[in-house]
Amino acid sequence: MLTIVKEQLSSLSATPLYLQLADMIRNQIRDGGIRTGEALPSERELSDAVGISRVTVRRAIETLLREGLLSRRHGSGTYIAPRIEQPAALLAGFSADMRNRGLMPGSHWLDRSAGLPTPDEAMTLALSIDQPVLRFARVRMADGEPLAIERAVVPAQFLGSVDDVQDSLYAALDLREARPVRGLQRLQASLATAAEARLLSVPVGAAILRIERRGFLANGMPVEFTRSAYRGDRYDFITEVRELRQEPGRQP
Amino acid sequence: MLTIVKEQLSSLSATPLYLQLADMIRNQIRDGGIRTGEALPSERELSDAVGISRVTVRRAIETLLREGLLSRRHGSGTYIAPRIEQPAALLAGFSADMRNRGLMPGSHWLDRSAGLPTPDEAMTLALSIDQPVLRFARVRMADGEPLAIERAVVPAQFLGSVDDVQDSLYAALDLREARPVRGLQRLQASLATAAEARLLSVPVGAAILRIERRGFLANGMPVEFTRSAYRGDRYDFITEVRELRQEPGRQP
DNA sequence: CAGTGGTCTAGACCACATA
DNA sequence: ATGTGGTCTAGACCACTGA
């Protein structure tokens, strides 16, 4: 059962009402206050209970839909933790990716620091070499087992400090309105190095899927450069491809 | 300059107004009616011009923001996002993929035969186990060097005989109007088996990128089930990801 | 300052699911 | 038939940008 406390929402706060409500619901899902498959109260009920308009309640729900935490069925209701059916590759961070697969994401930190970009990173992120970046390196877990090593680099201008990132990099970027809307990924098969093998609990030379991602804002500015190493025996990457649409009237 | 024609929008249509407007703007961007960097008319202007409410105009714009076509700046305006690189992963066969990379495709046949599907293949291709399939297995070369082993299975109904396929499977399917328009791919890192190592001229245990592809016609019928093993040291896979599109009820 | 996007409301009607 | 989500409106106020 969802327990919504009207008094926790304040229209005086700097963060908009729909984000406050989204946070409230997200926390209750994470804390197990609502079980998966269970229905949320209807939009009108929520609207009454919290004393905000239905449109605003819908915005909160839409935020959570985009994170994959909720699913809506027209005429039926809004439910926790949608289908297990794997959507094609979408732009999701590790946490959301794991939840989509029905696994519990976790992580432990290897590095969280500020610094200057390498020439490589400066090039990729369109920075000059004296513009600071933040680095986040973690071992990423799924259901308690190590699944990947993830090293993200973000220009410092998009985040206040490294402490802004607690659980999810994308959540932190979201709060600052710097969440990428588009990404380019490069995938390659490789073998585990000694250091990787130790962190991932696999033998040296085990199959590793390397994924390199560049994330961009709508205006084309790069915000994220992440290099990851996934265990080949535990992870597969699903993507949808479409035929390139031809421009009409292009006859020789 | 954006030209919005009020009469093109109909509230009687099955598709909602905000999607109609989004389509209209998207088409004008694609057709070059608006240049990148240029500002859209303000939300209030659009609202007046088209005769729909500002809230609805905003929904249309939000759709395009999520697609990465527009970018918004608070207090300033809404702008066409800079031209994005062409989607890297498109639905292309091996030959076209290699030519896109500036390499000369080649192949030598391992198997080309008719037969009955395995239970696995029957499931994937939506066949009963007595409907015949054609199999095509090849070593695929790039600039004369072995790059991948490719095993394709196609329901016999889509091709006359195995001899229809000379160079390119997709070319043969094209002739019969059975070329897939959409594909689902699954990528996984793995290690070379002894047989694969021999065919690809790599050591046993070398990094292998396994790609499994299912290709579909526009009507959703599966036409192709291909399993490939690419050399990890020579091949990388590039894909573009976007944020999940808003998912309203749209009938097929 | 005027103009822009950002948030929010109260109410309406429609389309769909479920019993 | 009832209740759900889906769409839409007209108007309001705020926060930000830029001349």
Side-chain angles (χ1 to χ4, degrees):
Chain A
M1 177 55 190
L2 189 74
T3 56
I4 290 295
V5 185
K6 186 173 181 173
E7 284 66 32
Q8 284 181 7
L9 296 183
S10 157
S11 50
L12 303 176
S13 161
T15 61
L17 282 175
Y18 73 91
L19 283 181
Q20 293 180 47
L21 179 56
D23 283 344
M24 201 189 272
I25 298 175
R26 191 189 298 108
N27 289 336
Q28 294 213 24
I29 292 177
R30 203 188 42 202
D31 300 349
I34 331 178
R35 287 185 307 279
T36 85
E38 196 173 340
L40 232 59
S42 80
E43 297 172 353
R44 290 168 180 82
E45 280 178 55
L46 276 174
S47 166
D48 282 355
V50 196
I52 66 184
S53 79
R54 187 179 155 214
V55 179
T56 306
V57 169
R58 279 182 66 80
R59 280 191 80 174
I61 291 177
E62 268 148 24
T63 306
L64 299 172
L65 285 175
R66 228 166 284 128
E67 295 176 12
L69 285 179
L70 298 179
S71 92
R72 264 202 298 218
R73 284 212 303 276
H74 189 175
S76 173
T78 304
Y79 303 86
I80 317 290
R83 29 206 123 137
I84 308 125
E85 183 184 333
Q86 173 69 5
L90 36 121
L91 189 50
F94 182 89
S95 310
D97 186 17
M98 288 304 110
R99 280 193 289 265
N100 282 339
R101 294 165 186 254
L103 300 172
M104 174 67 79
S107 69
H108 92 251
W109 287 98
L110 301 174
D111 177 35
R112 182 151 51 151
S113 62
L116 293 178
T118 66
D120 192 32
E121 292 162 356
M123 173 83 79
T124 301
L125 292 170
L127 297 174
S128 55
I129 55 163
D130 55 357
Q131 293 180 278
V133 296
L134 304 181
R135 286 175 215 284
F136 305 93
R138 284 179 279 185
V139 175
R140 293 299 217 152
M141 331 275 276
D143 280 355
E145 285 206 300
L147 179 63
I149 303 164
E150 183 188 272
R151 297 178 186 277
V153 187
V154 176
Q157 64 184 103
F158 294 119
L159 288 173
S161 83
V162 289
D163 298 318
D164 284 6
V165 177
Q166 291 302 328
D167 221 36
S168 155
L169 172 61
Y170 274 38
L173 289 171
D174 216 355
L175 287 180
R176 304 222 163 214
E177 315 242 311
R179 185 193 173 95
V181 299
R182 183 179 154 261
L184 276 179
Q185 297 190 134
R186 182 169 157 275
L187 289 85
Q188 193 167 30
S190 178
L191 305 179
T193 65
E196 289 167 346
R198 187 170 37 81
L199 289 170
L200 293 176
S201 309
V202 295
V204 174
I208 291 288
L209 184 64
R210 298 192 191 283
I211 304 184
E212 185 181 291
R213 163 146 82 190
R214 290 175 287 157
F216 302 89
L217 299 181
N219 62 15
M221 202 178 291
V223 283
E224 175 207 9
F225 180 36
T226 300
R227 283 163 288 195
S228 309
Y230 283 79
R231 287 177 60 165
D233 58 342
R234 292 287 173 86
Y235 186 80
D236 55 20
F237 180 90
I238 306 214
T239 183
E240 185 182 12
V241 287
R242 291 180 181 285
E243 194 170 10
L244 187 55
R245 208 127 170 83
Q246 290 273 8
E247 299 294 319
R250 282 277 283 192
Q251 309 192 351
Chain B
M1 176 55 191
L2 188 75
T3 56
I4 290 297
V5 185
K6 186 173 180 172
E7 284 66 33
Q8 284 181 8
L9 296 183
S10 157
S11 49
L12 303 177
S13 160
T15 61
L17 282 174
Y18 74 91
L19 282 181
Q20 292 181 48
L21 179 57
D23 283 343
M24 203 189 268
I25 298 176
R26 191 188 298 110
N27 289 336
Q28 293 212 26
I29 293 176
R30 201 194 45 202
D31 299 349
I34 332 178
R35 286 186 306 280
T36 87
E38 197 173 338
L40 232 58
S42 80
E43 297 172 353
R44 290 168 179 84
E45 279 179 56
L46 276 175
S47 166
D48 282 355
V50 195
I52 65 184
S53 79
R54 188 179 154 214
V55 179
T56 305
V57 169
R58 279 182 66 80
R59 279 193 80 173
I61 290 177
E62 269 148 24
T63 306
L64 299 173
L65 285 175
R66 229 164 282 128
E67 295 175 14
L69 284 178
L70 297 179
S71 86
R72 257 198 307 213
R73 284 212 304 278
H74 189 174
S76 172
T78 304
Y79 303 86
I80 315 291
R83 196 87 189 112
I84 56 178
E85 307 169 36
Q86 271 308 318
L90 28 128
L91 187 51
F94 182 90
S95 311
D97 186 17
M98 287 305 111
R99 278 192 288 266
N100 283 339
R101 294 167 186 252
L103 301 171
M104 174 67 79
S107 69
H108 92 251
W109 286 100
L110 300 174
D111 176 34
R112 183 151 50 153
S113 63
L116 293 178
T118 67
D120 193 31
E121 292 162 356
M123 173 84 77
T124 302
L125 292 169
L127 297 174
S128 55
I129 55 164
D130 56 358
Q131 292 180 278
V133 296
L134 305 180
R135 287 175 214 285
F136 306 92
R138 284 179 278 185
V139 175
R140 293 298 216 154
M141 330 276 276
D143 279 355
E145 285 206 299
L147 179 64
I149 303 163
E150 182 188 273
R151 298 177 186 276
V153 186
V154 176
Q157 65 186 100
F158 294 118
L159 287 172
S161 83
V162 290
D163 298 318
D164 284 7
V165 177
Q166 289 304 325
D167 217 34
S168 156
L169 172 60
Y170 274 37
L173 290 171
D174 216 355
L175 287 179
R176 303 225 164 211
E177 315 232 310
R179 185 193 172 94
V181 298
R182 182 180 155 262
L184 275 180
Q185 296 190 134
R186 183 170 156 274
L187 288 84
Q188 193 167 30
S190 178
L191 304 179
T193 65
E196 288 167 346
R198 188 171 35 82
L199 290 169
L200 293 176
S201 308
V202 295
V204 174
I208 291 288
L209 183 64
R210 298 191 192 284
I211 302 184
E212 186 181 290
R213 164 146 83 189
R214 290 176 285 159
F216 302 89
L217 298 182
N219 64 14
M221 200 177 293
V223 284
E224 174 208 10
F225 180 36
T226 299
R227 282 163 289 193
S228 310
Y230 283 78
R231 287 177 59 165
D233 58 344
R234 292 286 174 85
Y235 187 79
D236 56 18
F237 180 88
I238 306 222
T239 182
E240 183 185 15
V241 287
R242 291 180 177 287
E243 199 169 2
L244 187 52
R245 244 185 92 125
Q246 199 164 352
E247 182 233 327
R250 224 179 183 174
Q251 299 103 326

mmCIF file of all heavy atoms in Angstrom, chain A residues 190-230:
data_model
loop_
_atom_site.group_PDB
_atom_site.id
_atom_site.type_symbol
_atom_site.label_atom_id
_atom_site.label_comp_id
_atom_site.label_asym_id
_atom_site.label_seq_id
_atom_site.Cartn_x
_atom_site.Cartn_y
_atom_site.Cartn_z
ATOM 1 N N SER A 190 36.414 -8.982 -26.078
ATOM 2 C CA SER A 190 37.788 -8.942 -25.645
ATOM 3 C C SER A 190 38.008 -9.976 -24.543
ATOM 4 O O SER A 190 37.109 -10.760 -24.241
ATOM 5 C CB SER A 190 38.109 -7.524 -25.153
ATOM 6 O OG SER A 190 39.425 -7.445 -24.680
ATOM 7 N N LEU A 191 39.201 -9.970 -23.963
ATOM 8 C CA LEU A 191 39.517 -10.933 -22.906
ATOM 9 C C LEU A 191 39.838 -10.188 -21.620
ATOM 10 O O LEU A 191 40.367 -9.076 -21.636
ATOM 11 C CB LEU A 191 40.716 -11.798 -23.326
ATOM 12 C CG LEU A 191 40.576 -12.536 -24.660
ATOM 13 C CD1 LEU A 191 41.838 -13.335 -24.957
ATOM 14 C CD2 LEU A 191 39.358 -13.446 -24.640
ATOM 15 N N ALA A 192 39.544 -10.828 -20.497
ATOM 16 C CA ALA A 192 39.759 -10.185 -19.204
ATOM 17 C C ALA A 192 41.239 -10.048 -18.896
ATOM 18 O O ALA A 192 42.001 -11.011 -19.013
ATOM 19 C CB ALA A 192 39.070 -10.991 -18.104
ATOM 20 N N THR A 193 41.646 -8.842 -18.496
ATOM 21 C CA THR A 193 43.003 -8.653 -17.994
ATOM 22 C C THR A 193 43.057 -9.168 -16.553
ATOM 23 O O THR A 193 42.021 -9.499 -15.955
ATOM 24 C CB THR A 193 43.369 -7.161 -17.979
ATOM 25 O OG1 THR A 193 42.521 -6.496 -17.043
ATOM 26 C CG2 THR A 193 43.176 -6.543 -19.345
ATOM 27 N N ALA A 194 44.254 -9.196 -16.001
ATOM 28 C CA ALA A 194 44.398 -9.694 -14.632
ATOM 29 C C ALA A 194 43.596 -8.834 -13.655
ATOM 30 O O ALA A 194 42.886 -9.345 -12.789
ATOM 31 C CB ALA A 194 45.873 -9.700 -14.243
ATOM 32 N N ALA A 195 43.689 -7.512 -13.815
ATOM 33 C CA ALA A 195 42.985 -6.619 -12.893
ATOM 34 C C ALA A 195 41.475 -6.790 -13.026
ATOM 35 O O ALA A 195 40.745 -6.847 -12.027
ATOM 36 C CB ALA A 195 43.378 -5.170 -13.186
ATOM 37 N N GLU A 196 41.010 -6.884 -14.262
ATOM 38 C CA GLU A 196 39.570 -7.067 -14.478
ATOM 39 C C GLU A 196 39.103 -8.394 -13.911
ATOM 40 O O GLU A 196 38.030 -8.496 -13.306
ATOM 41 C CB GLU A 196 39.262 -6.983 -15.978
ATOM 42 C CG GLU A 196 39.393 -5.579 -16.540
ATOM 43 C CD GLU A 196 39.390 -5.553 -18.068
ATOM 44 O OE1 GLU A 196 39.544 -6.638 -18.686
ATOM 45 O OE2 GLU A 196 39.246 -4.463 -18.636
ATOM 46 N N ALA A 197 39.904 -9.419 -14.129
ATOM 47 C CA ALA A 197 39.529 -10.753 -13.656
ATOM 48 C C ALA A 197 39.311 -10.730 -12.141
ATOM 49 O O ALA A 197 38.338 -11.298 -11.638
ATOM 50 C CB ALA A 197 40.620 -11.753 -14.028
ATOM 51 N N ARG A 198 40.203 -10.042 -11.445
ATOM 52 C CA ARG A 198 40.085 -9.988 -9.995
ATOM 53 C C ARG A 198 38.788 -9.278 -9.584
ATOM 54 O O ARG A 198 38.029 -9.772 -8.753
ATOM 55 C CB ARG A 198 41.302 -9.242 -9.446
ATOM 56 C CG ARG A 198 41.425 -9.250 -7.939
ATOM 57 C CD ARG A 198 42.784 -8.714 -7.484
ATOM 58 N NE ARG A 198 43.272 -7.604 -8.300
ATOM 59 C CZ ARG A 198 42.874 -6.334 -8.154
ATOM 60 N NH1 ARG A 198 41.994 -6.030 -7.238
ATOM 61 N NH2 ARG A 198 43.365 -5.396 -8.924
ATOM 62 N N LEU A 199 38.513 -8.140 -10.209
ATOM 63 C CA LEU A 199 37.337 -7.359 -9.816
ATOM 64 C C LEU A 199 36.036 -8.067 -10.177
ATOM 65 O O LEU A 199 35.021 -7.887 -9.517
ATOM 66 C CB LEU A 199 37.384 -5.979 -10.481
ATOM 67 C CG LEU A 199 38.451 -5.022 -9.941
ATOM 68 C CD1 LEU A 199 38.568 -3.796 -10.821
ATOM 69 C CD2 LEU A 199 38.110 -4.612 -8.516
ATOM 70 N N LEU A 200 36.069 -8.842 -11.233
ATOM 71 C CA LEU A 200 34.826 -9.463 -11.703
ATOM 72 C C LEU A 200 34.695 -10.921 -11.267
ATOM 73 O O LEU A 200 33.711 -11.577 -11.605
ATOM 74 C CB LEU A 200 34.749 -9.371 -13.238
ATOM 75 C CG LEU A 200 34.609 -7.960 -13.813
ATOM 76 C CD1 LEU A 200 34.648 -7.993 -15.329
ATOM 77 C CD2 LEU A 200 33.305 -7.318 -13.337
ATOM 78 N N SER A 201 35.678 -11.428 -10.566
ATOM 79 C CA SER A 201 35.637 -12.824 -10.118
ATOM 80 C C SER A 201 35.536 -13.790 -11.286
ATOM 81 O O SER A 201 34.706 -14.705 -11.276
ATOM 82 C CB SER A 201 34.465 -13.079 -9.155
ATOM 83 O OG SER A 201 34.458 -12.152 -8.116
ATOM 84 N N VAL A 202 36.343 -13.568 -12.296
ATOM 85 C CA VAL A 202 36.401 -14.504 -13.421
ATOM 86 C C VAL A 202 37.879 -14.813 -13.675
ATOM 87 O O VAL A 202 38.754 -14.090 -13.200
ATOM 88 C CB VAL A 202 35.777 -13.923 -14.712
ATOM 89 C CG1 VAL A 202 34.297 -13.687 -14.532
ATOM 90 C CG2 VAL A 202 36.479 -12.635 -15.131
ATOM 91 N N PRO A 203 38.164 -15.901 -14.407
ATOM 92 C CA PRO A 203 39.559 -16.199 -14.717
ATOM 93 C C PRO A 203 40.145 -15.188 -15.694
ATOM 94 O O PRO A 203 39.414 -14.581 -16.489
ATOM 95 C CB PRO A 203 39.503 -17.589 -15.373
ATOM 96 C CG PRO A 203 38.090 -18.015 -15.393
ATOM 97 C CD PRO A 203 37.241 -16.929 -14.887
ATOM 98 N N VAL A 204 41.430 -15.010 -15.627
ATOM 99 C CA VAL A 204 42.110 -14.195 -16.626
ATOM 100 C C VAL A 204 41.855 -14.810 -18.000
ATOM 101 O O VAL A 204 41.880 -16.029 -18.150
ATOM 102 C CB VAL A 204 43.629 -14.149 -16.349
ATOM 103 C CG1 VAL A 204 44.354 -13.417 -17.463
ATOM 104 C CG2 VAL A 204 43.905 -13.489 -15.012
ATOM 105 N N GLY A 205 41.564 -13.972 -18.979
ATOM 106 C CA GLY A 205 41.302 -14.477 -20.317
ATOM 107 C C GLY A 205 39.845 -14.847 -20.563
ATOM 108 O O GLY A 205 39.495 -15.315 -21.642
ATOM 109 N N ALA A 206 38.978 -14.616 -19.578
ATOM 110 C CA ALA A 206 37.557 -14.876 -19.790
ATOM 111 C C ALA A 206 36.988 -13.862 -20.789
ATOM 112 O O ALA A 206 37.567 -12.801 -21.014
ATOM 113 C CB ALA A 206 36.802 -14.784 -18.467
ATOM 114 N N ALA A 207 35.852 -14.209 -21.368
ATOM 115 C CA ALA A 207 35.237 -13.336 -22.364
ATOM 116 C C ALA A 207 34.699 -12.060 -21.715
ATOM 117 O O ALA A 207 34.020 -12.107 -20.695
ATOM 118 C CB ALA A 207 34.102 -14.067 -23.079
ATOM 119 N N ILE A 208 35.037 -10.936 -22.321
ATOM 120 C CA ILE A 208 34.617 -9.629 -21.816
ATOM 121 C C ILE A 208 33.981 -8.847 -22.961
ATOM 122 O O ILE A 208 34.508 -8.835 -24.076
ATOM 123 C CB ILE A 208 35.847 -8.836 -21.304
ATOM 124 C CG1 ILE A 208 36.402 -9.474 -20.047
ATOM 125 C CG2 ILE A 208 35.497 -7.376 -21.065
ATOM 126 C CD1 ILE A 208 35.545 -9.283 -18.826
ATOM 127 N N LEU A 209 32.840 -8.225 -22.682
ATOM 128 C CA LEU A 209 32.235 -7.340 -23.666
ATOM 129 C C LEU A 209 32.537 -5.905 -23.276
ATOM 130 O O LEU A 209 32.083 -5.436 -22.233
ATOM 131 C CB LEU A 209 30.714 -7.567 -23.722
ATOM 132 C CG LEU A 209 29.965 -6.765 -24.775
ATOM 133 C CD1 LEU A 209 30.405 -7.166 -26.179
ATOM 134 C CD2 LEU A 209 28.459 -6.945 -24.639
ATOM 135 N N ARG A 210 33.337 -5.240 -24.106
ATOM 136 C CA ARG A 210 33.668 -3.846 -23.810
ATOM 137 C C ARG A 210 32.672 -2.923 -24.490
ATOM 138 O O ARG A 210 32.401 -3.068 -25.683
ATOM 139 C CB ARG A 210 35.076 -3.511 -24.301
ATOM 140 C CG ARG A 210 36.126 -4.332 -23.631
ATOM 141 C CD ARG A 210 37.539 -3.844 -23.882
ATOM 142 N NE ARG A 210 38.464 -4.871 -23.399
ATOM 143 C CZ ARG A 210 38.742 -5.050 -22.109
ATOM 144 N NH1 ARG A 210 38.200 -4.253 -21.210
ATOM 145 N NH2 ARG A 210 39.552 -6.025 -21.731
ATOM 146 N N ILE A 211 32.136 -2.005 -23.724
ATOM 147 C CA ILE A 211 31.179 -1.043 -24.264
ATOM 148 C C ILE A 211 31.686 0.357 -23.966
ATOM 149 O O ILE A 211 32.006 0.674 -22.826
ATOM 150 C CB ILE A 211 29.779 -1.232 -23.653
ATOM 151 C CG1 ILE A 211 29.294 -2.665 -23.877
ATOM 152 C CG2 ILE A 211 28.802 -0.225 -24.234
ATOM 153 C CD1 ILE A 211 27.884 -2.913 -23.404
ATOM 154 N N GLU A 212 31.765 1.130 -25.004
ATOM 155 C CA GLU A 212 32.213 2.503 -24.862
ATOM 156 C C GLU A 212 31.043 3.383 -25.261
ATOM 157 O O GLU A 212 30.512 3.237 -26.351
ATOM 158 C CB GLU A 212 33.396 2.716 -25.812
ATOM 159 C CG GLU A 212 34.074 4.035 -25.722
ATOM 160 C CD GLU A 212 35.219 4.101 -26.739
ATOM 161 O OE1 GLU A 212 36.220 3.387 -26.562
ATOM 162 O OE2 GLU A 212 35.074 4.845 -27.724
ATOM 163 N N ARG A 213 30.643 4.249 -24.362
ATOM 164 C CA ARG A 213 29.474 5.071 -24.673
ATOM 165 C C ARG A 213 29.781 6.547 -24.581
ATOM 166 O O ARG A 213 30.394 7.018 -23.634
ATOM 167 C CB ARG A 213 28.335 4.758 -23.715
ATOM 168 C CG ARG A 213 27.264 5.839 -23.721
ATOM 169 C CD ARG A 213 25.902 5.308 -23.509
ATOM 170 N NE ARG A 213 25.633 5.105 -22.113
ATOM 171 C CZ ARG A 213 24.567 4.455 -21.652
ATOM 172 N NH1 ARG A 213 23.697 3.945 -22.504
ATOM 173 N NH2 ARG A 213 24.385 4.306 -20.379
ATOM 174 N N ARG A 214 29.329 7.282 -25.579
ATOM 175 C CA ARG A 214 29.331 8.732 -25.510
ATOM 176 C C ARG A 214 27.887 9.204 -25.458
ATOM 177 O O ARG A 214 27.085 8.821 -26.300
ATOM 178 C CB ARG A 214 30.026 9.316 -26.736
ATOM 179 C CG ARG A 214 31.526 9.078 -26.748
ATOM 180 C CD ARG A 214 32.145 9.565 -28.022
ATOM 181 N NE ARG A 214 31.810 8.696 -29.140
ATOM 182 C CZ ARG A 214 31.835 9.090 -30.405
ATOM 183 N NH1 ARG A 214 32.143 10.328 -30.706
ATOM 184 N NH2 ARG A 214 31.548 8.242 -31.366
ATOM 185 N N GLY A 215 27.560 10.023 -24.458
ATOM 186 C CA GLY A 215 26.199 10.521 -24.306
ATOM 187 C C GLY A 215 26.135 11.993 -24.657
ATOM 188 O O GLY A 215 27.045 12.751 -24.324
ATOM 189 N N PHE A 216 25.060 12.409 -25.330
ATOM 190 C CA PHE A 216 24.925 13.789 -25.797
ATOM 191 C C PHE A 216 23.616 14.418 -25.343
ATOM 192 O O PHE A 216 22.592 13.737 -25.263
ATOM 193 C CB PHE A 216 24.960 13.844 -27.330
ATOM 194 C CG PHE A 216 26.206 13.273 -27.931
ATOM 195 C CD1 PHE A 216 26.270 11.922 -28.247
ATOM 196 C CD2 PHE A 216 27.308 14.069 -28.170
ATOM 197 C CE1 PHE A 216 27.421 11.370 -28.802
ATOM 198 C CE2 PHE A 216 28.463 13.526 -28.718
ATOM 199 C CZ PHE A 216 28.515 12.184 -29.039
ATOM 200 N N LEU A 217 23.658 15.712 -25.094
ATOM 201 C CA LEU A 217 22.442 16.480 -24.867
ATOM 202 C C LEU A 217 21.751 16.727 -26.198
ATOM 203 O O LEU A 217 22.301 16.471 -27.265
ATOM 204 C CB LEU A 217 22.771 17.830 -24.222
ATOM 205 C CG LEU A 217 23.444 17.790 -22.854
ATOM 206 C CD1 LEU A 217 23.658 19.218 -22.359
ATOM 207 C CD2 LEU A 217 22.575 17.023 -21.881
ATOM 208 N N ALA A 218 20.547 17.284 -26.108
ATOM 209 C CA ALA A 218 19.802 17.558 -27.328
ATOM 210 C C ALA A 218 20.520 18.566 -28.208
ATOM 211 O O ALA A 218 20.409 18.543 -29.428
ATOM 212 C CB ALA A 218 18.400 18.056 -26.991
ATOM 213 N N ASN A 219 21.300 19.463 -27.598
ATOM 214 C CA ASN A 219 21.996 20.461 -28.413
ATOM 215 C C ASN A 219 23.322 19.932 -28.957
ATOM 216 O O ASN A 219 24.096 20.668 -29.554
ATOM 217 C CB ASN A 219 22.218 21.743 -27.615
ATOM 218 C CG ASN A 219 23.103 21.519 -26.393
ATOM 219 O OD1 ASN A 219 23.771 20.498 -26.283
ATOM 220 N ND2 ASN A 219 23.076 22.459 -25.485
ATOM 221 N N GLY A 220 23.568 18.655 -28.742
ATOM 222 C CA GLY A 220 24.748 18.036 -29.321
ATOM 223 C C GLY A 220 25.972 18.048 -28.429
ATOM 224 O O GLY A 220 27.007 17.491 -28.775
ATOM 225 N N MET A 221 25.852 18.675 -27.277
ATOM 226 C CA MET A 221 27.001 18.754 -26.380
ATOM 227 C C MET A 221 27.241 17.410 -25.691
ATOM 228 O O MET A 221 26.307 16.816 -25.171
ATOM 229 C CB MET A 221 26.714 19.837 -25.330
ATOM 230 C CG MET A 221 27.941 20.403 -24.679
ATOM 231 S SD MET A 221 27.493 21.711 -23.509
ATOM 232 C CE MET A 221 26.922 22.994 -24.605
ATOM 233 N N PRO A 222 28.484 16.929 -25.705
ATOM 234 C CA PRO A 222 28.760 15.656 -25.026
ATOM 235 C C PRO A 222 28.782 15.823 -23.511
ATOM 236 O O PRO A 222 29.348 16.788 -23.006
ATOM 237 C CB PRO A 222 30.145 15.250 -25.548
ATOM 238 C CG PRO A 222 30.733 16.462 -26.149
ATOM 239 C CD PRO A 222 29.641 17.431 -26.457
ATOM 240 N N VAL A 223 28.148 14.915 -22.805
ATOM 241 C CA VAL A 223 28.104 14.999 -21.338
ATOM 242 C C VAL A 223 28.718 13.792 -20.652
ATOM 243 O O VAL A 223 28.941 13.827 -19.447
ATOM 244 C CB VAL A 223 26.661 15.091 -20.805
ATOM 245 C CG1 VAL A 223 26.120 16.468 -21.006
ATOM 246 C CG2 VAL A 223 25.764 14.064 -21.434
ATOM 247 N N GLU A 224 28.967 12.751 -21.378
ATOM 248 C CA GLU A 224 29.328 11.499 -20.720
ATOM 249 C C GLU A 224 30.222 10.687 -21.630
ATOM 250 O O GLU A 224 29.961 10.562 -22.821
ATOM 251 C CB GLU A 224 28.046 10.702 -20.435
ATOM 252 C CG GLU A 224 28.280 9.331 -19.864
ATOM 253 C CD GLU A 224 27.152 8.360 -20.203
ATOM 254 O OE1 GLU A 224 26.283 8.708 -21.027
ATOM 255 O OE2 GLU A 224 27.170 7.268 -19.656
ATOM 256 N N PHE A 225 31.291 10.159 -21.055
ATOM 257 C CA PHE A 225 32.149 9.240 -21.793
ATOM 258 C C PHE A 225 32.427 8.074 -20.859
ATOM 259 O O PHE A 225 33.110 8.230 -19.850
ATOM 260 C CB PHE A 225 33.448 9.938 -22.208
ATOM 261 C CG PHE A 225 34.397 9.065 -22.978
ATOM 262 C CD1 PHE A 225 33.931 8.131 -23.880
ATOM 263 C CD2 PHE A 225 35.772 9.186 -22.804
ATOM 264 C CE1 PHE A 225 34.807 7.328 -24.599
ATOM 265 C CE2 PHE A 225 36.660 8.395 -23.521
ATOM 266 C CZ PHE A 225 36.168 7.461 -24.421
ATOM 267 N N THR A 226 31.836 6.960 -21.150
ATOM 268 C CA THR A 226 31.891 5.824 -20.233
ATOM 269 C C THR A 226 32.462 4.604 -20.922
ATOM 270 O O THR A 226 32.033 4.246 -22.018
ATOM 271 C CB THR A 226 30.475 5.496 -19.706
ATOM 272 O OG1 THR A 226 29.966 6.626 -19.025
ATOM 273 C CG2 THR A 226 30.522 4.313 -18.759
ATOM 274 N N ARG A 227 33.436 3.999 -20.280
ATOM 275 C CA ARG A 227 33.991 2.752 -20.787
ATOM 276 C C ARG A 227 33.713 1.653 -19.780
ATOM 277 O O ARG A 227 34.041 1.797 -18.601
ATOM 278 C CB ARG A 227 35.494 2.909 -21.033
ATOM 279 C CG ARG A 227 35.793 3.670 -22.318
ATOM 280 C CD ARG A 227 37.195 4.182 -22.371
ATOM 281 N NE ARG A 227 37.390 5.288 -21.444
ATOM 282 C CZ ARG A 227 38.443 6.106 -21.496
ATOM 283 N NH1 ARG A 227 39.367 5.939 -22.409
ATOM 284 N NH2 ARG A 227 38.561 7.092 -20.625
ATOM 285 N N SER A 228 33.092 0.590 -20.247
ATOM 286 C CA SER A 228 32.708 -0.483 -19.349
ATOM 287 C C SER A 228 33.250 -1.812 -19.847
ATOM 288 O O SER A 228 33.486 -1.992 -21.040
ATOM 289 C CB SER A 228 31.185 -0.594 -19.247
ATOM 290 O OG SER A 228 30.612 0.656 -18.962
ATOM 291 N N ALA A 229 33.415 -2.725 -18.907
ATOM 292 C CA ALA A 229 33.809 -4.092 -19.235
ATOM 293 C C ALA A 229 32.814 -5.032 -18.579
ATOM 294 O O ALA A 229 32.734 -5.098 -17.351
ATOM 295 C CB ALA A 229 35.225 -4.367 -18.742
ATOM 296 N N TYR A 230 32.023 -5.719 -19.398
ATOM 297 C CA TYR A 230 30.997 -6.616 -18.889
ATOM 298 C C TYR A 230 31.451 -8.067 -18.986
ATOM 299 O O TYR A 230 32.120 -8.444 -19.955
ATOM 300 C CB TYR A 230 29.707 -6.472 -19.708
ATOM 301 C CG TYR A 230 28.895 -5.248 -19.382
ATOM 302 C CD1 TYR A 230 29.251 -4.006 -19.886
ATOM 303 C CD2 TYR A 230 27.764 -5.344 -18.592
ATOM 304 C CE1 TYR A 230 28.499 -2.882 -19.599
ATOM 305 C CE2 TYR A 230 27.000 -4.224 -18.300
ATOM 306 C CZ TYR A 230 27.371 -2.995 -18.801
ATOM 307 O OH TYR A 230 26.628 -1.888 -18.509
#
